Amino acid sequence: MKPKKNKILVFSFFRLFITGVSCTFVGPLIPIISRDLNVGLDYMGSVLSLSVFGILITSLVTGNLIEVFGYKRIIFLGSLLNIFGCLGLCFSYHHIIFLIACFLLNVGAGIIGFSVFSLVGNYHSGRKTGSLIKVVIGNSLSIVVSPLLVSAVLYTGLNWRFFYICISIAQIILLAWLLLLNIPKSIKVKRDLRSLFSINKKISTNPYFLLFCIIVFVHAATMNTFFSWFTTYFSSLNIDIKISSLFLASYGLAAVTGMLIKNKIVKHVKEKRVLLFSAIISFAALAGVFFSSDLILKNILIFLFGAAIAGNFTITYSIGTDLHPGYTNFASGFLMASANLGVVIFQYLGGYFSEHFSKNSVIYIDILLLFVFFIFVLILNVGKKFPGVSAILKKSYKNVDN
């Protein structure tokens, strides 16, 4: 069984990496793409928001689709949509085509991300957090590689659409790999329509679980808006995208570093404590970025912020899905949907305020989000109703089964 698990981990790592690169390549290029398509930053924010709305919808239905069709077919579907999105971006010379292509790309990414998280969570339950972090490092690496590719494209004078031709080839190779991979269909639990409704109701009304939904809502919004509007923020400081995309690569490297550190820390420290320390450090670091006028100090603080904020979704996801053993797909759906809802709302706000208020808006928004994140993580750590993960697990498992 171990070799199969290792193959699934390796495939999942590269699947998230390529998916991440294809999706995050757009963010650093927002100022250029908006000029290329002759649209405002508010339109680009709307495109990103609508694209993530597609992911939000897939988060709610993918778990049930996995139960019916199995992991392999659903990942195959997500991969096809991802490829169609990449090919669409190759020919997106009109803003409507760009919108449709981004939508397909992100819907495919949503299906892939959900399926991979559920698959790894189900088949590595004995070491769930560590296994999920190892896989998500692939996605974190994408935010290192994407900005470097942006710089390379701009320095060589290539059209950004050329990148999506190359990434489409990588997507096809992964599709072939998937067909050769032996993936178990799914983990079934006996249930009928009535029990499905009962399970969804009890999961969605569990106060402990709702707390985790709020945490991932805020965290995902922070991570996505910061990355997408990073180069736009630096353009307000008269820093060229060729340079700011290198700063963004450093931020991505910080995220990878943070994931590796947290993979070690969670073996010795309670996961909710890790979340609390991460919240404190990330809030302090980003506040420092806001108040600092020195470019070098800004980048040092951004690196610290990236290391602190990384991995928090994975840790929260791991704890949240453990609240309902045997119902990972259902719990995953609510958590993923909560995260994507946060991205939908704040990507739009990021674009709107960047266009009509200030290109610094992403910093204001993310500092506010981090403060809210800190408050809810603090509640998780000190509230009397949250005595510890083991007690929550025991109570929640009993509630769902009754």
Side-chain angles (χ1 to χ4, degrees), residues 230 234 237 239 243-251 254 288-289 292 294-306:
F230 185 94
F234 273 100
L237 305 177
I239 305 295
I243 304 299
S244 61
S245 58
L246 295 178
F247 296 163
L248 187 54
S250 175
Y251 163 73
V289 172
S292 173
D294 183 79
L295 191 60
I296 295 176
L297 180 58
K298 274 184 182 292
N299 276 281
I300 292 173
L301 290 170
I302 286 170
F303 189 93
L304 182 61
F305 164 74

Side-chain angles (χ1 to χ4, degrees), residues 108-371:
I111 293 172
I112 290 168
F114 182 99
S115 302
V116 166
F117 264 74
S118 177
L119 177 64
V120 173
N122 269 325
Y123 289 94
H124 293 78
S125 55
R127 180 74 175 89
K128 182 188 287 188
T129 303
S131 297
L132 285 170
I133 287 178
K134 288 175 184 176
V135 169
V136 175
I137 286 174
N139 186 66
S140 298
L141 280 174
S142 71
I143 64 176
V144 180
V145 173
S146 291
L148 293 176
L149 289 173
V150 168
S151 285
V153 167
L154 295 178
Y155 273 112
T156 56
L158 291 172
N159 191 296
W160 58 270
R161 295 178 181 85
F162 174 76
F163 161 81
Y164 281 101
I165 297 175
C166 299
I167 203 70
S168 295
I169 296 172
Q171 297 270 20
I172 293 169
I173 292 172
L174 279 173
L175 197 63
W177 185 2
L178 173 65
L179 294 175
L180 297 174
L181 194 64
N182 182 21
I183 297 179
K185 187 175 181 182
S186 64
I187 293 178
K188 297 271 184 192
V189 178
K190 291 183 179 180
R191 55 175 71 96
D192 52 26
L193 267 177
R194 185 177 178 182
S195 66
L196 284 176
F197 177 79
S198 177
I199 292 166
N200 279 286
K201 182 181 177 181
K202 287 181 178 178
I203 290 175
S204 62
T205 55
N206 184 322
Y208 308 114
F209 187 76
L210 288 175
L211 178 65
F212 293 122
C213 287
I214 295 171
I215 290 172
V216 296
F217 172 91
V218 176
H219 177 265
T222 306
M223 287 286 290
N224 281 268
T225 53
F226 188 80
F227 184 89
S228 296
W229 302 101
F230 185 94
T231 56
T232 304
Y233 163 69
F234 273 100
S235 69
S236 69
L237 305 177
N238 297 318
I239 305 295
D240 190 83
I241 294 178
K242 295 176 184 177
I243 304 299
S244 61
S245 58
L246 295 178
F247 296 163
L248 187 54
S250 175
Y251 163 73
L253 182 61
V256 174
T257 303
M259 296 287 283
L260 292 171
I261 292 172
K262 286 176 183 176
N263 186 38
K264 301 293 183 182
I265 291 177
V266 293
K267 297 177 183 177
H268 310 287
V269 181
K270 288 183 178 180
E271 291 156 317
K272 63 178 185 177
R273 296 295 183 194
V274 176
L275 288 176
L276 180 60
F277 293 136
S278 296
I280 295 170
I281 295 170
S282 57
F283 178 79
L286 197 58
V289 172
F290 174 76
F291 288 109
S292 173
S293 58
D294 183 79
L295 191 60
I296 295 176
L297 180 58
K298 274 184 182 292
N299 276 281
I300 292 173
L301 290 170
I302 286 170
F303 189 93
L304 182 61
F305 164 74
I309 200 72
N312 291 337
F313 174 82
T314 307
I315 294 172
T316 308
Y317 175 92
S318 178
I319 303 172
T321 52
D322 275 345
L323 291 176
H324 303 287
Y327 304 103
T328 300
N329 290 338
F330 299 97
S332 296
F334 285 110
L335 288 168
M336 293 284 190
S338 300
N340 290 317
L341 180 61
V343 179
V344 168
I345 294 171
F346 287 97
Q347 283 288 29
Y348 172 76
L349 292 177
Y352 180 84
F353 284 110
S354 294
E355 178 69 21
H356 299 287
F357 181 61
S358 168
K359 290 183 179 179
N360 294 329
S361 296
V362 66
I363 300 295
Y364 307 142
I365 291 171
D366 286 347
I367 287 175
L368 177 61
L369 286 170
L370 282 172
F371 180 74

Side-chain angles (χ1 to χ4, degrees), residues 36-101:
D36 208 7
L37 299 176
N38 195 28
V39 295
L41 296 176
D42 51 349
Y43 178 83
M44 294 298 295
S46 299
V47 169
L48 295 176
S49 184
L50 180 62
S51 298
V52 180
F53 181 75
I55 302 178
L56 171 62
I57 299 302
T58 62
S59 300
L60 296 172
V61 301
T62 302
N64 290 314
L65 290 176
I66 289 172
E67 292 291 323
V68 178
F69 298 104
Y71 288 106
K72 193 167 188 175
R73 291 177 181 176
I74 298 305
I75 296 175
F76 184 86
L77 172 64
S79 300
L80 280 181
L81 291 173
N82 224 225
I83 292 171
F84 290 149
C86 288
L87 293 175
L89 287 170
C90 296
F91 304 101
S92 58
Y93 293 93
H94 191 275
H95 62 90
I96 297 299
I97 297 175
F98 178 80
L99 186 151
I100 295 171

